């Protein structure tokens, strides 16, 4: 099983979505505060910004948990096969 390319870990990964909050795109805290300033200046509420940010973080967390579970299952299967050789 390969973990690179279109089916690898980056496939379907949340990257900040259309709101561009900086999650997953390497923006960091300064990018978040800058984006928050722009959003609130344009009339968008700070609460809505943080709710969308929370949704993106939760989606990214689910993604990483899924990848972690797959890798654990793969490791456990390989270890079981090795133990059966002994």
């Amino acid at each position: 099983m390969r973990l690179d390319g279109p089916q690898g870990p980056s496939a379907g990964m949340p990257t900040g979505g259309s709101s561009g909050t900086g999650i997953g795109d390497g923006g960091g805290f300064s990018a978040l505060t800058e984006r928050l300033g722009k959003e609130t200046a344009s009339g968008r509420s700070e609460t809505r910004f943080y709710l969308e940010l929370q949704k993106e973080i939760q989606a990214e967390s689910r993604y990483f948990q899924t990848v972690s579970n797959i890798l654990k299952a793969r490791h456990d299967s390989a270890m079981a096969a090795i133990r059966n050789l002994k």
Side-chain angles (χ1 to χ4, degrees), residues 14 51-63:
L51 285 173
E52 288 182 10
L53 177 62
Q54 182 180 14
K55 276 180 26 180
E56 292 176 18
I57 291 171
Q58 287 172 341
E60 189 173 69
S61 178
R62 282 191 306 270
Y63 171 80

Side-chain angles (χ1 to χ4, degrees), residues 34-50:
E34 181 181 325
R35 182 70 181 169
L36 175 60
K38 289 178 184 176
E39 295 294 332
T40 54
S42 68
R44 192 166 159 203
S45 77
E46 190 172 329
T47 304
R48 182 173 169 86
F49 174 81
Y50 282 117

Side-chain angles (χ1 to χ4, degrees), residues 3-31:
L3 291 178
D4 56 349
Q7 281 93 24
S10 61
M13 183 174 163
T15 58
S18 61
S19 63
T21 57
I23 297 301
D25 62 5
F29 184 73
S30 61

